[in-house]
Each structure stands twice: as structure tokens, then as C-alpha cells.
Amino acid sequence: MFHLDRAPADPILGLTEAFKQDTHPDKINLGVGVYQDATGQTPVLEAVKQAETFLLEHENSKSYLAIPGVPELAKETQTLLFGDNHPIITNARAHTAQTPGGTGALRVAADFLKRATENRTVWLSDPSWANHRTIFEAAGFTVHNYRYYDAATQGLDEAGLMEDLEAMGQGDTLILHGCCHNPSGIDLTEAAWRHVAHVAQAKGLICLVDFAYQGFGEGLEEDRAGLHILLDAGLSLLIASSYSKNFGLYNERTGAITVVEDDTESALDAFSHIQAAIRAIYSSPPAHGGKIVATILGQPELKALWMRELADMRTRIKSMRQAFVTGMADRNTGVDFEFINHQKGMFSFSGLTKAQVEKLRADNHIYIVGSGRINVAGITPANLDPLCDAIAKVL
Ligand code: LMR
């Protein structure tokens, strides 16, 4: 009936499917951004287990949530983003709706923008998370790239970024990664955030901060430093939060979209359109993940437990970065991987070419995204040596 050609597999999720089908006992998955512990498992956090036990005892209805989801989740999301009693909270300049994951938050943001502005131009870092382009193109936007990663220095192309900011048009939408840039692991410097804030103000750019990794870089507060530079500059913003990684709630699809406006009235106006956009896509969010996050953040003991578990994940990833860099240095390949120690969060841009990535998969059953992005959280003490050996071989 439809006569369609087959759509290509998703570059990230398609890789997970291929990994699952691989029966080799020593296969290694450094593809999808999912945390693995030292034994290669993706555990349910203890804080999540305890919150679920609490919910099992106390939940007394499965009736619909309101369009913006669990109200306590909205409140706790704002505390995570802005900090306790921040003027944005006390002046009611922000409103938050729970969404099905960070992807849901981004799609709601796109549909909100279609209602809020005639401008259909979105700017993404080069490179960016592959799904950013897909989401905004699906919503009818034209997507451009701004320079970000400098392959020569394996760092930020600050000069290129500055030039491309100048090329952006009045009222265009600029997507920024709040921290732990996906895929490069290279974050904006403080000076770059300030420059972005300045240009955004001068050109009336709409900044959309994708904040999927809060707590995976340096800590919950440290990771929001860039966001606060934009807020301190007085910008109105959209913020997409994800609780997939920092709460390990991947399959519960739990995220949030927050709008920050100039004043209380404009915030209410904008939020009414966010709610209208949500109603047209999925009506109201699923409850379970939102209730888990709200329960944990609302109970001091559970919150403290979660913060310890988050710190453990962050520390393990950092130790794997160091072990990988040392492991590669020991193999005397002539390639210096020290830059990986300076990247933040789950991912690193390894510098591996597409051909090298393909060879690693064919010869060693090692799964890496075609861009050379490595999920450092997939490295374990057990797979470190075979991984370094295999990479040394393809260099
Ligand atoms: C990733 O970048 O691997 C994750 O954010 C998972 C996804 O949905 O792509």
C-alpha cells in the first residue's frame, strides 16, 4: 500500500539492537549513552528502589495526571535547575511540565516554538546528539550547524563558534548543551557562555538548553554554571531536562520542559501554550518516573542517598577515563589520548575514524557510534585491557 524504501536504522539505538544480537561472549558496548557499573550492569539505583517501595504503599490512584504532570516534579526540577529560593522561583518567572524523557521535552519545545514564533531556524553544535536534528526537522524547522568541535586540538573551536554566532539571524533558536556535551564531552568555557549570552541578547536568539546530564560532570551545582550565566544575563529560556541518566530511569521516560520568561504574566502565557502543545501530542505524561523523581527529591534521606549514588557514577566514569588514557599510553601507539581526561560526562570523542570503528566491530565485537563517540561509562576494569589492545591495533 505505501511502497516505502526501508528507513535507515537509528545511528545510536540501532547499534544497541545489533549489540544485543551479537552472541560473542566478549562483546563490548560503548554505543548508547547508558551507565554501566564496574560489572557492566545498568542497575536500578537504590534510591529509586526505595522510592518505588514507598509508592507501592502510598499510591492510591492511577487516574490521569494533569497536562503538566506531577506537580512536585515541576517544583523539584526548578530547584535542581535554579537552586533553592532563586528569584526566578520566588518571582514565578518559570513553569515546568513533566515530559516523556528529554526527547519528549525537546519535541514539546519545538511545538511550542511553532506557536510562539514565525522563525523556523534552529542552530545545533557541530557535532550534536544525532536526534536533535531529527526532532527539529520532524517538527518542520530548518537546522543549521554552528562550529563547536576542533578536530585539530580535540577541544572547543571557540573562534569558529564566535563567528557562527554572528551569522545567526534575529530570533533564531540556539540549542546549547547545559553540560557534558553529547557527543564530544567538551563543554563551553565560561568566556564562551558569556559571549553566547551577550550575542543571544543582542540578536534576540531563543536559547534552548538541553540539560540531560546534570550531575555527571562535576556536580549538580557546578554543572549548571553555564545555565546560570544565561539566566544572570536576564535571558528568557527554554530548558529540556532528562532524568534518564542521573536517576538511571532510562525506560521510564522521565524528563521536563521549563520555560523561563521575563515576568510572571508572560511565564503563565507561555506555559499555557506549552500545555496546549502537550495536549496535542500525548495529552499528559506517564506518572511512574515522575513520581519516583519527586519522591526522591522530596525526602531528605532519599535525596542524600541519590546524591551519593550519582557521585559514585560520576567518579567511576572519571576513573575509567584515567584508566583508558593510561592503558593507551602503555601501548605506545604514538597517539596521545590525554584529551579524554579533559572531557566531561558520559561521552568522549575518541578521534577514531568510521573505518576504525567498523573494524573494531568486525574484528573485536566492540560497538562504538560511527562518529567515534565512546560511552566511557561502558568501560569496566574487565573490558579495559581488551579494549585498549583492540584500539591500539586499529590506529
Ligand atoms: C545517547 O546519546 O546515546 C542517549 O542519549 C540515548 C539516545 O536516545 O540516543
Side-chain angles (χ1 to χ4, degrees):
M1 179 186 179
F2 291 115
H3 307 295
L4 292 169
D5 291 333
R6 190 77 53 88
D10 183 84
I12 298 174
L13 300 185
L15 202 61
T16 307
E17 291 314 307
F19 177 80
K20 279 187 195 153
Q21 276 161 25
D22 188 332
T23 52
H24 196 277
D26 298 325
K27 62 184 179 174
I28 300 175
N29 188 5
L30 304 184
V32 68
V34 170
Y35 178 81
Q36 295 170 39
D37 66 14
T39 66
Q41 304 303 310
T42 302
V44 181
L45 297 188
E46 180 54 30
V48 168
K49 280 278 184 211
Q50 292 190 19
E52 287 185 311
T53 305
F54 176 88
L55 288 172
L56 194 62
E57 283 166 11
H58 292 85
E59 201 173 36
N60 50 19
S61 177
K62 293 284 185 192
S63 181
Y64 292 123
L65 293 177
I67 294 173
V70 176
E72 295 81 9
L73 179 84
K75 181 176 157 284
E76 298 294 349
T77 296
Q78 292 191 13
T79 306
L80 278 182
L81 293 175
F82 309 130
D84 271 329
N85 299 318
H86 190 281
I88 288 178
I89 298 176
T90 51
N91 296 327
R93 280 183 50 214
H95 286 282
T96 300
Q98 182 190 334
T99 56
T103 302
L106 290 163
R107 177 63 201 225
V108 169
D111 279 14
F112 165 74
L113 287 170
K114 284 206 294 198
R115 293 166 161 267
T117 166
E118 310 250 290
N119 188 311
R120 295 283 177 271
T121 301
V122 165
W123 291 83
L124 283 179
S125 61
D126 181 15
S128 197
W129 180 46
N131 215 26
H132 275 149
R133 177 177 282 275
T134 313
I135 292 167
F136 280 88
E137 285 183 347
F141 287 82
T142 303
V143 177
H144 297 288
N145 283 123
Y146 57 88
R147 277 170 283 173
Y148 192 89
Y149 174 71
D150 182 352
T153 63
Q154 276 147 328
L156 181 68
D157 181 359
E158 209 152 333
L161 166 70
M162 306 277 180
E163 268 178 43
D164 290 347
L165 281 169
E166 294 309 323
M168 295 176 192
Q170 282 286 333
D172 290 355
T173 294
L174 169 60
I175 298 189
L176 299 153
H177 297 231
C179 69
C180 306
H181 183 267
N182 177 6
S184 74
I186 299 159
D187 284 339
L188 291 178
T189 58
E190 189 186 324
W193 277 107
R194 289 194 191 287
H195 193 83
V196 166
H198 176 74
V199 176
Q201 208 153 33
K203 291 189 172 232
L205 300 178
I206 301 168
C207 293
L208 165 51
V209 180
D210 187 357
F211 210 14
Y213 296 89
Q214 188 176 7
F216 265 75
E218 297 297 335
L220 289 169
E221 276 188 40
E222 295 86 338
D223 290 352
R224 66 186 184 211
L227 171 70
H228 279 241
I229 289 174
L230 303 186
L231 294 171
D232 292 348
L235 291 167
S236 300
L237 293 177
L238 289 164
I239 308 162
S241 303
S242 168
Y243 295 118
S244 297
K245 326 282 170 167
N246 50 13
F247 283 81
L249 286 174
Y250 307 93
N251 68 14
E252 297 293 353
R253 309 310 297 136
T254 311
I257 182 73
T258 298
V259 60
V260 182
E261 260 287 16
D262 301 334
D263 53 58
T264 312
E265 270 310 298
S266 325
L268 281 170
D269 292 343
F271 197 54
S272 70
H273 287 278
I274 286 187
Q275 293 187 73
I278 289 173
R279 178 66 168 145
I281 320 175
Y282 55 81
S283 204
S284 62
H288 192 60
K291 287 191 179 177
I292 292 170
V293 174
T295 302
I296 293 172
L297 295 177
Q299 298 187 16
E301 276 180 23
L302 276 186
K303 185 171 179 181
L305 172 60
W306 167 66
M307 285 175 70
R308 284 199 297 279
E309 294 189 282
L310 178 59
D312 286 348
M313 291 194 275
R314 180 169 65 238
T315 309
R316 199 192 88 72
I317 295 174
K318 278 192 182 171
S319 72
M320 284 300 106
R321 284 185 184 279
Q322 279 160 8
F324 178 74
V325 172
T326 309
M328 290 312 299
D330 289 348
R331 281 159 179 84
N332 293 316
T333 60
V335 181
D336 183 2
F337 280 92
E338 177 56 30
F339 63 89
I340 287 188
N341 274 327
H342 306 296
Q343 299 170 340
K344 297 231 163 71
M346 240 182 203
F347 304 116
S348 269
F349 234 28
S350 62
L352 291 168
T353 63
K354 204 167 187 306
Q356 289 166 334
V357 165
E358 276 166 13
K359 194 160 166 50
L360 284 167
R361 177 166 161 185
D363 295 355
N364 304 90
H365 305 264
I366 295 171
Y367 290 73
I368 295 174
V369 180
S371 62
R373 183 193 83 169
I374 282 182
N375 173 20
V376 185
I379 305 178
T380 66
N383 69 26
L384 179 70
D385 274 330
L387 174 70
C388 291
D389 285 340
I391 292 180
K393 237 175 165 174
V394 300
L395 287 176

